[in-house]
Amino acid sequence: MSKNKKPDLSNLTPEEELKYEIAQELGLLDQVLEKGWKSLSAKETGRIGGLMTRRKRELQKQ
């Protein structure tokens, strides 16, 4: 994705939706939309990945 291209938030896979949702909950969505995922630190990226994994497990248990 180029720097100026905004993601189409209305046309996301369920996994991408979850990723953006968690980024929003962590207060990182504005940064991601402005500067892209590469602007996040390793710690922030790991936090998003960890929460995604936890939520997927919870959904599978239901």
Side-chain angles (χ1 to χ4, degrees):
M1 179 179 341
S2 69
K3 241 182 165 33
N4 297 332
K5 186 178 175 197
K6 299 273 187 211
D8 181 5
L9 297 178
S10 63
N11 191 21
L12 298 173
T13 65
E15 189 165 299
E16 287 174 320
E17 269 184 48
L18 180 60
K19 186 162 88 169
Y20 280 99
E21 185 180 308
I22 291 171
Q24 183 175 18
E25 290 171 13
L26 295 176
L28 300 171
L29 185 59
D30 289 339
Q31 179 181 344
V32 168
L33 294 177
E34 285 178 29
K35 301 175 188 169
W37 292 104
K38 290 183 179 181
S39 68
L40 299 180
S41 70
K43 184 177 181 180
E44 292 165 335
T45 305
R47 183 100 176 101
I48 291 171
L51 289 169
M52 285 179 68
T53 302
R54 184 186 304 164
R55 292 218 186 140
K56 284 182 194 175
R57 277 196 210 124
E58 288 171 0
L59 289 174
Q60 286 175 348
K61 286 181 183 178
Q62 291 178 355

